[in-house]
């Protein structure tokens, strides 16, 4: 049986991406599957700090090896915004569409549309914490295109592609995915250090 890692999320889109990246090497379980129903806040102003807080709480509650991630969209024209506030760009309870609408409004007429998705993973193994980062460079479209994906996928075209993340299948998106890049570093670390117990 594959060793278990608790993934500090119940976001099924993120879980699907991680499972595609990990394959059968590890059994990824969500917070709900681990019996955790705590809503973990993300109060900090950096991806590293938020990821660390989430993994700290989950490890304290379960005592199991776990990892968490925080992801942000960094837009050059907006000096790195929305960044750590990507999910709450248009307000605490904003929908993905509301976040996209605000982003495109703020970028109206922008010549420089370069942006990147950045994922930071915090892994807790026993008492030790390790960080892994993945970045996907790309650009912001002028209008949303595509119906797949989630978040800002409909307005982000990764470098090396001519369609948005929302126009790709999950497998196609994984060829570029910031989350996959960070996860691959996580998995390589686990294999190298041999600490893949549940």
């Amino acid at each position: 049986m594959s060793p278990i890692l608790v993934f500090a999320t119940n976001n099924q889109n993120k879980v699907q991406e991680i499972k595609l990246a990990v394959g059968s090497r590890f059994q990824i379980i969500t917070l709900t599957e681990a019996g955790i129903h705590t809503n973990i806040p993300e109060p900090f102003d950096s991806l590293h700090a938020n990821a660390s807080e989430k993994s700290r709480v989950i490890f304290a509650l379960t005592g199991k090896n776990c990892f968490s991630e925080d992801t942000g969209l960094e837009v050059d024209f907006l000096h790195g915004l929305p960044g750590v506030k990507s999910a709450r760009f248009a307000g605490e309870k904003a929908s993905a569409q509301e976040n996209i609408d605000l982003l495109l409004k703020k970028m109206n007429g922008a010549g420089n549309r370069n942006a990147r998705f950045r994922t930071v993973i915090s892994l807790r193994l026993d008492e030790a914490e390790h960080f892994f980062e993945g970045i996907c460079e790309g650009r912001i479209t002028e209008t949303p295109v595509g119906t797949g994906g989630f978040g800002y996928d409909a307005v982000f075209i990764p470098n090396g592609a001519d369609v948005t993340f929302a126009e790709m299948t999950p497998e196609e998106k994984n060829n570029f995915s910031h989350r996959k890049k960070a996860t691959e570093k996580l998995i390589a670390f686990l294999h190298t250090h041999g600490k893949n117990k549940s």
Side-chain angles (χ1 to χ4, degrees), residues 111-124:
N112 178 5
R113 306 190 73 85
N114 293 336
R116 69 206 50 80
F117 276 113
R118 186 188 307 273
T119 289
V120 175
I121 289 177
S122 166
L123 168 69
R124 302 266 177 177

Side-chain angles (χ1 to χ4, degrees), residues 36-179:
I36 302 300
H37 304 284
T38 302
N39 190 18
I40 307 170
E42 299 178 340
F44 301 106
D45 59 2
S46 77
L47 299 175
H48 278 81
N50 281 334
S52 181
E53 176 66 8
K54 287 187 282 188
S55 69
R56 182 193 68 78
V57 170
I58 298 308
F59 185 79
L61 289 172
T62 67
K64 290 183 178 295
N65 292 336
C66 65
F67 67 98
S68 64
E69 62 89 23
D70 202 17
T71 295
L73 174 67
E74 302 170 347
V75 179
D76 289 351
F77 182 74
L78 300 180
H79 308 290
L81 292 175
V84 71
K85 298 186 182 298
S86 291
R88 307 175 298 281
F89 192 38
E92 286 298 321
K93 296 184 179 180
S95 67
Q97 188 58 55
E98 288 170 332
N99 286 331
I100 286 175
D101 290 344
L102 179 60
L103 175 67
L104 295 181
K105 180 179 178 181
K106 287 182 175 292
M107 292 189 68
N108 185 37
N112 178 5
R113 306 190 73 85
N114 293 336
R116 69 206 50 80
F117 276 113
R118 186 188 307 273
T119 289
V120 175
I121 289 177
S122 166
L123 168 69
R124 302 266 177 177
L125 285 175
D126 303 322
E127 298 302 319
E129 180 179 19
H130 308 274
F131 290 100
F132 309 93
E133 185 174 287
I135 297 173
C136 177
E137 298 283 351
R139 62 192 184 278
I140 302 299
T141 61
E142 294 187 358
T143 57
V145 184
T147 58
F150 61 102
Y152 296 90
D153 284 358
V155 293
F156 184 84
I157 298 177
N159 289 349
D162 55 8
V163 296
T164 68
F165 272 162
E167 295 177 273
M168 298 180 183
T169 65
E171 291 77 15
E172 289 170 338
K173 180 180 176 181
N174 248 1
N175 291 327
F176 303 93
S177 174
H178 42 290
R179 193 167 285 110

